[in-house]
Amino acid sequence: MSLPALQSTSVFYRRILAQFPQDMSLAFAYGSGVFRQSGTSPAQMGKNMVDFVFAVDDPVTWHTMNLMQNRRHYSILKFLGPNKISSIQNDHGAGVYYNTLVPADGRIIKYGVISTDALIDDLLHWKTMYVAGRLHKPVRILMQNESGKLRCALAANLKSAVTASFLMLPESCSEEDLFVQIASLSYSGDFRMLIGEDRSKVLNIVKDNMQHFRLLYSNILQECGQVVYKPQQGKLEVDKSPEGQFTQLMALPRTLQQQITRLMDPPGKNRDVEEILLQVAQDPDCGLVVQQGISSIVKSSSITQSIKGIATAGLLKTVSYSAKKMHKMWRGWRKQPS
């Protein structure tokens, strides 16, 4: 999972991490402040907010320590104390508590805190796809403990992204087609793509980061029995037979299988999951059904997490953050050819 760190930037990330409690199972940085996106100049990238996610084993203890070190990062919710903050984190939205628009070491950062158990659950089962979706794309791993369970969950999440994308791609496609499909998974159904994001965001993510995507996925593709991978040509041939698609459907994360089942099983029939997936595997619209299942997961978590974000950020920061997102969306529209 770890990507090569540029020497010139590694000190910056170490300085940021040093400002927080160190009891983390995983810490990573992601987004347009970390990886250059197509159409973004180095000067613009340097102005972008840097996004982080910290996974912690004990959210109450971590927030207790962080409130002592960085109390100003929190909204008015800080007055509720670490137990309530942890409850808000775990019980609402996608299980992440974000502090945003935080000045740090000459940059503006946003950081989300998630429990290690919630992260592993999302990676394995795509319960919300909120953090799992971010980890489908290149990220800069800053800290990772030796937990075999976490390491296996990170690898399983990448394999699931490939499997789901196979079901939505044609039999013959390019590496770029696959990586664009993978990158789009966590945006499918996200209402923010309609009102607060640059609509060319997914393609911009992939174009300038093909090598980073290859580092993440080349071994998975070479070892996968459902694809003929030709890395020298950048081409793939996916098994689109009913048998192949059934194998892929059976390998999908549990929550996605459940969503597909709800879409395809009429009320009162109560067929088992395997029977429904066998039917979907033979359906010409198999890819569309998978897409709808993913959209239903992402839509729910993106709405609930965004509502929670208003409280965790506070009203002033919410307005400021939303204004920046709208500006980026407007800038993206202006760049698009008429």
Side-chain angles (χ1 to χ4, degrees), residues 159-273:
K159 290 179 182 177
S160 294
V162 169
T163 302
S165 296
F166 282 169
L167 288 159
M168 293 182 280
L169 288 167
E171 185 174 14
S172 297
C173 62
S174 67
E175 271 185 325
E176 184 175 288
D177 293 333
L178 172 65
F179 298 151
V180 167
Q181 183 62 67
I182 288 172
S184 71
L185 294 177
S186 62
Y187 296 114
S188 178
D190 190 335
F191 78 99
R192 294 171 299 177
M193 291 300 288
L194 299 176
I195 62 173
E197 290 285 7
D198 178 355
R199 293 184 184 180
S200 58
K201 184 182 181 86
V202 175
L203 190 57
N204 290 343
I205 289 170
V206 174
K207 272 188 174 181
D208 279 11
N209 292 289
M210 287 290 291
Q211 188 57 37
H212 292 299
F213 276 95
R214 288 190 188 103
L215 283 172
L216 281 178
Y217 291 106
S218 61
N219 286 343
I220 293 172
L221 293 172
Q222 288 169 0
E223 295 170 3
C224 179
Q226 274 82 51
V227 66
V228 177
Y229 178 43
K230 304 173 183 177
Q232 300 302 322
Q233 303 170 36
K235 300 289 185 183
L236 302 97
E237 294 175 9
V238 181
D239 185 354
K240 302 298 288 185
S241 68
E243 296 80 10
Q245 293 195 141
F246 179 65
T247 300
Q248 293 155 23
L249 287 163
M250 289 296 291
L252 292 175
R254 183 179 63 203
T255 305
L256 179 52
Q257 289 181 339
Q258 291 169 345
Q259 291 295 333
I260 292 170
T261 299
R262 291 191 185 100
L263 287 168
M264 298 299 293
D265 195 27
K269 279 207 168 184
N270 297 320
R271 295 176 297 166
D272 63 36
V273 172

Side-chain angles (χ1 to χ4, degrees), residues 275-287:
E275 182 183 353
I276 293 168
L277 295 184
L278 184 59
Q279 175 193 333
V280 174
Q282 301 173 69
D283 192 325
D285 292 327
C286 173

Side-chain angles (χ1 to χ4, degrees), residues 119-130 132-133 136 156-165 168 185 252-256 259 290 294 297-298:
L119 172 62
I120 290 173
D121 187 48
D122 197 31
L123 293 170
L124 292 177
H125 305 304
W126 286 7
K127 183 177 179 180
T128 69
M129 281 186 69
Y130 200 85
H136 292 160
N157 181 50
L158 295 179
K159 290 179 182 177
S160 294
V162 169
T163 302
S165 296
M168 293 182 280
L185 294 177
L252 292 175
R254 183 179 63 203
T255 305
L256 179 52
Q259 291 295 333
V290 174
I294 291 172
I297 297 171
V298 174

Side-chain angles (χ1 to χ4, degrees), residues 102-115:
V102 174
D105 211 48
R107 296 288 293 275
I108 299 297
I109 72 167
K110 176 181 75 175
Y111 64 94
V113 185
I114 184 171
S115 76

Side-chain angles (χ1 to χ4, degrees), residues 307-327:
I307 292 170
K308 183 170 79 172
I310 297 172
T312 60
L315 184 58
L316 289 177
K317 283 187 175 181
T318 298
V319 171
S320 177
Y321 181 71
S322 298
K324 292 177 187 293
K325 284 288 188 182
M326 294 300 290
H327 177 69

Side-chain angles (χ1 to χ4, degrees), residues 35-103:
F35 293 95
R36 185 175 175 181
Q37 297 182 5
S38 181
T40 302
S41 68
Q44 287 174 326
M45 183 178 169
K47 295 177 182 178
N48 288 342
M49 184 162 60
V50 185
D51 297 326
F52 297 87
V53 166
F54 304 147
V56 302
D57 291 341
D58 184 348
V60 174
T61 299
W62 196 91
H63 283 296
T64 299
M65 297 171 65
N66 199 43
L67 281 164
M68 292 191 302
Q69 292 178 225
N70 299 301
R71 190 172 180 83
R72 68 190 184 279
H73 294 179
Y74 291 81
S75 69
I76 196 171
L77 296 182
K78 59 178 169 277
F79 295 109
L80 300 178
N83 285 288
K84 187 61 177 177
I85 286 173
S86 298
S87 176
I88 292 169
Q89 172 188 309
N90 294 324
D91 299 340
H92 302 282
V96 191
Y97 189 102
Y98 271 104
N99 285 324
T100 189
L101 296 179
V102 174

